[in-house]
């Protein structure tokens, strides 16, 4: 089985650099003739609730996803902490496109897949991160059934977008401190390496692939292989598994 995977693209609006990178990533799926594409969360900087409205905001992205599925390549979609509660959007699109639910699977928690005898854990990253208890409390609340209901049935996506744009403006200010290089090297990288080792025993997997930390890594420790493509607008990288080994590939947006 061959696959490609990416997380943390953070597409904000149509035509931005993140969108260009993501479209180029989707082109790689056909070029490399993979069987599956794993999207590990935070593909969008803000996408909450299953509204078809999002298809009109990002027409190019959904057109390309449609063509990908038509070519027989399957998608496994994990929630991030910027894009979640949108299973209904995928259900609606698949129905509209007359495609089987098997083609585009939606997961709200980490998944383990057995690939050529190896157990691989796919996660966004915040679910397996060690510590950060106040964030985890916030995460439980925001992922709850009540918020799912609000996002899908009550609040219009236009309003969600406005609220989220404010929130991401605030978190960008924080991120400037958090993702400072020295802090990344000394705190974030070791924390996520340790989190990957812990998650590997929790999920009984020898390979852990996640994002969220925005800190690129390909690291082997205690016979656990941990991969993280980092913050894509900066790293411009994704992972390719050719059936035997992993490769980190740089995206080309010049075309
Ligand atoms: Mn994240």
């Amino acid at each position: 089985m061959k696959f490609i995977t990416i997380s943390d693209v953070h597409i904000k609006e149509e035509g931005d650099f993140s969108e260009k990178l993501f479209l180029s990533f989707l082109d790689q799926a056909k070029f490399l003739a993979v069987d599956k594409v794993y999207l590990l969360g935070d593909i969008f900087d803000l996408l909450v609730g299953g509204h078809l409205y999002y298809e009109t905001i990002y027409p190019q992205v959904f057109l390309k996803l449609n063509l990908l599925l038509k070519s027989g390549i399957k998608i496994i979609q994990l929630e991030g902490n910027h894009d979640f509660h949108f299973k209904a959007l995928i259900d609606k699109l698949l129905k509209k496109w007359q495609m089987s639910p098997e083609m585009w699977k939606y997961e709200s928690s980490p998944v383990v897949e057995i690939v050529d005898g190896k157990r691989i854990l796919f996660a966004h990253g915040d679910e397996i991160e060690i510590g950060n208890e106040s964030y985890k409390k916030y995460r439980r609340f925001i992922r709850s059934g009540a918020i799912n209901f609000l996002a899908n049935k009550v609040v219009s996506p236009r309003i969600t977008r406005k609220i989220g744009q404010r929130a991401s403006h605030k978190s960008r200010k924080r991120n400037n401190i958090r993702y400072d290089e020295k802090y990344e090297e000394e705190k974030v990288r070791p924390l996520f390496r340790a989190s990957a080792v812990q998650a590997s025993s929790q999920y009984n997997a020898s390979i852990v692939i996640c994002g969220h930390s925005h800190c690129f890594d390909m690291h082997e420790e205690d016979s656990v292989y941990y991969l993280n493509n980092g913050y894509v607008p900066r790293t411009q990288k994704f992972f390719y598994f050719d059936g035997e080994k992993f490769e980190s590939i740089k995206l080309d947006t010049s075309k």
Side-chain angles (χ1 to χ4, degrees), residues 196-215:
V197 170
Q198 185 186 280
S200 94
S201 70
Q202 191 187 337
Y203 290 90
N204 184 26
S206 58
I207 299 165
V208 177
I209 310 176
C210 73
H212 187 64
S213 68
H214 290 191
C215 182

Side-chain angles (χ1 to χ4, degrees), residues 8 42 81 124 212:
D8 304 281
D42 291 1
N81 59 314
H124 176 57
H212 187 64

Side-chain angles (χ1 to χ4, degrees), residues 10-61:
H10 289 275
I11 300 168
K12 287 183 187 71
E13 52 196 322
E14 196 191 2
D16 69 10
F17 186 50
S18 289
E19 191 194 53
K20 286 193 177 79
L21 290 163
F22 188 61
L23 294 173
S24 151
F25 166 77
L26 294 178
D27 286 338
Q28 290 292 317
K30 279 192 198 172
F31 178 71
L32 296 166
V34 299
D35 306 284
K36 289 181 183 179
V37 172
Y38 290 83
L39 303 176
L40 303 185
D42 291 1
I43 302 305
F44 297 94
D45 199 54
L46 185 77
L47 197 152
V48 179
H51 312 280
L52 269 177
Y53 167 74
Y54 290 116
E55 194 193 7
T56 66
I57 301 187
Y58 308 110
Q60 295 227 58
V61 170

Side-chain angles (χ1 to χ4, degrees), residues 33 40 46 59 63 71 77 79-80 83 99-100 120 123 141 145 147 152 190 225 227 233 239 245:
L40 303 185
L46 185 77
L63 177 66
S71 76
Q77 179 102 39
E79 289 189 333
D83 44 5
M99 286 175 186
S100 145
I120 306 179
F141 167 70
I147 296 295
N152 278 285
Y225 195 24
L227 301 106
F239 290 114
K245 59 185 188 316

